Amino acid sequence: MAFWLVKSEPDAFGWDQQVANGTEPWTGVRNYMARNNLRAMRIGDRAFFYHSNIGREVVGVVEVVREAYPDPTASEGDWVCVDLRALAKLPRPVALTAMKADPALEGLALIRQSRLSVMPVSAGHWHHICALGGWGG
DNA sequence: GCCAACGTTGGC
DNA sequence: GCCAACGTTGGC
């Protein structure tokens, strides 16, 4: 199983909506590196749900339930989306500032490459952030 | 609201 | 194919 992190501005689409919808097509990615990451996702992979701009924290965990398929919101180009299902809310959201300050999370793509919207997370980093969030999952 | 980072576009 | 201009993202 691989681990990922996806970003969303809560203004546009937040964790509460993800939970309300259950399964949600993760559309609108228009960046090649992010697209490559979407394509590499496999059913059963897990991803952190991160609130950018407002909150700036990891708030929950989602699971990949459908692998990459053409993004219906793209009028041209070969962009893809995946379906993500809400799995768990973190008992304690993990703030960007906390992750930046944590030596165990050195090299985290979220910190290094702040503009990427879909990124891989190493197993080590994944488990560390889960622990910070109070989630045993 | 500002600005740095950085991906994309387009002129040459 | 280089590089300047531009647009967008996202932290502060």
Side-chain angles (χ1 to χ4, degrees):
Chain A
M1 190 201 320
F3 302 105
W4 310 91
L5 183 146
V6 296
K7 286 197 225 179
S8 187
E9 294 189 37
D11 266 1
F13 184 79
W15 174 252
D16 290 342
Q17 281 167 276
Q18 175 75 47
V19 170
N21 296 5
T23 296
E24 180 71 14
W26 203 260
T27 58
V29 170
R30 300 292 183 268
N31 169 284
Y32 290 107
M33 211 175 308
R35 184 192 68 182
N36 291 345
N37 289 332
L38 285 179
R39 282 192 172 145
M41 287 185 182
R42 294 296 168 254
I43 287 176
D45 282 0
R46 290 176 175 183
F48 287 129
F49 192 110
Y50 174 80
H51 278 169
S52 63
N53 280 311
I54 301 167
R56 278 169 242 139
E57 56 191 10
V58 174
V59 289
V61 177
V62 292
E63 180 183 22
V64 177
V65 293
R66 183 176 172 190
E67 294 177 9
Y69 60 98
D71 183 343
T73 70
S75 54
E76 58 176 23
D78 94 89
W79 301 109
V80 299
C81 60
V82 298
D83 287 357
L84 300 177
R85 186 172 62 85
L87 195 62
K89 179 180 184 171
L90 290 188
R92 294 188 302 273
V94 180
L96 177 65
T97 51
M99 292 187 278
K100 275 189 164 177
D102 194 332
L105 295 176
E106 203 181 338
L108 192 70
L110 182 66
I111 298 163
R112 224 184 36 223
Q113 233 184 321
S114 67
R115 288 184 53 197
L116 189 58
S117 62
V118 181
M119 65 191 78
V121 176
S122 73
H125 286 165
W126 176 271
H127 294 301
H128 189 79
I129 293 169
C130 285
L132 292 177
W135 188 61

